[in-house]
Amino acid sequence: MNLSQSDWAKKVETEKDALILDVRTQEECNDGIIQNAILNDIYNGKEFINKLEQLDKSKKYFVYCKVGGRSSQACDIMEQLGFENVYNLEGGFMNWKGEIVLP
């Protein structure tokens, strides 16, 4: 499910079991990440899938990338793997207005 910046941020704050997943490259993450994000580069292919399979599918995942395309793909992949609650950040990190931290 695609969520606007404000809806995504509100849900991250209020949802129990919310986890943030950053699917950008390490190089992109050097510019900063959303606090508490789990890094898992979608370009890593099988390693990306392996890391997803280690996650608890019952939790809620808030996924982002640089502009929203890769995170949308990641959400699709996660749903195919049996994740039921995945939320894509529309506009991605480029439009993020919230707090960021350096990795």
Side-chain angles (χ1 to χ4, degrees):
M1 171 188 296
N2 291 323
L3 294 177
S4 69
Q5 298 277 322
S6 60
D7 288 345
W8 196 88
K10 281 181 205 165
K11 283 183 88 60
V12 166
E13 288 293 319
T14 59
E15 290 288 338
K16 187 179 178 191
D17 296 330
L19 294 170
I20 301 170
L21 185 63
D22 184 333
V23 298
R24 298 176 300 156
T25 66
Q26 182 61 55
E27 185 176 284
E28 290 171 310
C29 292
N30 290 339
D31 293 333
I33 62 172
I34 296 173
Q35 191 164 8
N36 299 320
I38 299 165
L39 307 179
N40 188 7
D41 183 352
I42 194 170
Y43 289 146
N44 285 342
K46 185 64 175 158
E47 183 181 334
F48 172 74
I49 300 295
N50 290 341
K51 285 183 177 180
L52 288 179
E53 289 176 337
Q54 294 172 17
L55 298 174
D56 183 345
K57 293 179 181 172
S58 69
K59 298 202 181 282
K60 295 172 178 74
Y61 290 90
F62 294 83
V63 187
Y64 73 95
C65 65
K66 188 171 184 176
V67 295
R70 285 175 284 168
S71 52
S72 179
Q73 289 177 319
C75 288
D76 291 343
I77 291 167
M78 292 173 77
E79 288 171 350
Q80 290 171 16
L81 292 173
F83 290 83
E84 294 179 14
N85 298 293
V86 292
Y87 306 95
N88 181 45
L89 176 62
E90 288 180 348
F93 190 77
M94 291 289 293
N95 293 323
W96 179 247
K97 305 278 191 278
E99 187 176 332
I100 63 168
V101 294
L102 294 175

